[in-house]
């Protein structure tokens, strides 16, 4: 089973994934916890380029292809082999992030981005995606004064477009993408996620 977590920066993905991984392992499953960008050796190099503020502004199409290169490598080297061994893969971001950030956020042509995503992933899609939905204002409060990466440094209007993009995706893929209100307590959110996932585990 392939599970992904999505949401704007600081929506609580890492926090919720780490709690969920413990729970799924306790149930006796083998779990591979991974993330984008940067789940592989090449991915880590791409992640640096994408997220270091020193990269400054890059062309939207260059940015798109860097994310796709990271994903193609991630699918081949990490996700596919783990799924073939019957493991549960939990990824912090996957293909939906590219539609939300590069499609809706950077305003690239969405059907085109969807097509490229399909090519990069060989059509691999999560069985279930948890979209942690929070307002960019709250996200900003959560990140406080800590150092921000190149994408986090974008204006609030960019994060607003990304959030709306994610919500549109969730409407379109209502069976797969579960929208979770990410503004409650860590525990509350985790319980909601476990309840939904519990129905998919046997
Ligand atoms: N439900 C919550 N309520 C309050 N604070 C939270 C909640 N969930 C996470 N946080 C805090 O908000 C910050 C961001 O959380 P976290 O790192 O899990 O988000 P993220 O989506 O993984 O962020 P990033 O996009 O930077 O990886 C952390 O300081 C975390 O402790
Ligand atoms: Mg995180």
């Amino acid at each position: 089973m392939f599970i992904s977590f999505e949401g704007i920066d600081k929506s609580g993905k890492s926090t919720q994934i780490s709690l969920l991984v413990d729970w799924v392992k306790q149930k006796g499953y083998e779990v591979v916890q991974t993330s984008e960008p940067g789940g592989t050796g090449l991915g880590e190099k791409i992640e640096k380029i994408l997220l270091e503020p020193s990269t400054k502004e890059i062309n939207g199409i260059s940015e798109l292809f860097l994310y796709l290169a990271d994903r193609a490598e991630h699918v081949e080297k990490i996700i596919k082999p783990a799924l073939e061994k019957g493991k549960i893969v939990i990824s912090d971001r996957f293909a939906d992030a590219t539609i939300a950030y590069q499609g809706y956020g950077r305003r690239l042509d969405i059907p085109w981005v969807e097509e490229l995503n399909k090519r990069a992933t060989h059509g691999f899609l999560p069985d279930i995606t948890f979209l942690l939905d929070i307002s960019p204002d709250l996200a900003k409060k959560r990140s406080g004064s800590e150092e921000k990466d190149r994408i986090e440094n974008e204006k609030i209007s960019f994060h607003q477009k990304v959030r709306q993009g994610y919500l549109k995706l969730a409407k379109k893929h209502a069976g797969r993408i579960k929208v979770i209100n990410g503004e409650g307590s860590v525990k509350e959110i985790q319980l909601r996620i476990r309840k939904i996932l519990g129905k998919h585990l046997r």
Side-chain angles (χ1 to χ4, degrees), residues 8-15 93 142 152 182 184-186 189:
I8 63 171
D9 298 287
K10 307 294 166 219
S11 54
K13 301 178 297 299
S14 302
T15 304
R93 299 192 182 285
R142 282 189 187 170
E152 285 168 344
S185 74
V186 168
I189 297 165

Side-chain angles (χ1 to χ4, degrees), residues 31-175:
V31 182
V32 172
Q33 184 184 345
T34 186
S35 64
E36 290 192 1
T40 61
L42 173 64
E44 279 177 24
K45 291 182 181 165
I46 297 174
E47 181 184 24
K48 276 204 178 127
I49 300 172
L50 282 166
L51 299 182
E52 270 182 7
S54 63
T55 300
K56 301 225 170 78
E57 203 178 304
I58 55 180
N59 180 280
I61 294 176
S62 321
E63 186 181 272
L64 169 70
F65 279 99
L66 285 166
Y67 275 108
L68 293 172
D70 169 72
R71 182 159 308 123
E73 195 73 4
H74 193 209
V75 168
E76 279 302 314
K77 299 255 171 79
I78 308 283
I79 298 172
K80 208 167 135 211
L83 292 175
E84 280 167 0
K85 287 185 190 132
K87 296 181 182 175
I88 292 186
V89 175
I90 303 185
S91 184
D92 189 333
R93 299 192 182 285
F94 191 64
D96 298 311
T98 301
I99 314 276
Y101 280 80
Q102 281 66 50
Y104 288 97
R106 302 281 189 228
R107 299 222 180 280
L108 295 180
D109 181 63
I110 288 169
W112 183 65
V113 177
E114 284 172 340
E115 176 61 27
L116 290 170
N117 244 341
K118 266 192 207 146
R119 299 288 176 121
T121 59
H122 298 291
F124 261 88
L125 264 182
D127 298 292
I128 185 161
T129 296
F130 292 102
L131 169 58
L132 302 179
D133 181 55
I134 73 167
S135 74
D137 285 322
L138 179 60
K140 203 174 170 191
K141 278 188 201 127
R142 282 189 187 170
S143 69
S145 57
E146 77 183 40
E147 228 177 287
K148 294 181 182 56
D149 69 36
R150 197 181 62 91
I151 305 282
E152 285 168 344
N153 270 329
E154 285 288 339
K155 304 192 286 284
I156 207 131
S157 61
F158 175 80
H159 297 289
Q160 202 62 262
K161 283 188 278 183
V162 174
R163 180 193 193 188
Q164 293 311 322
Y166 268 133
L167 290 172
K168 279 183 201 154
L169 274 174
K171 259 200 184 139
K172 190 170 161 192
H173 305 282

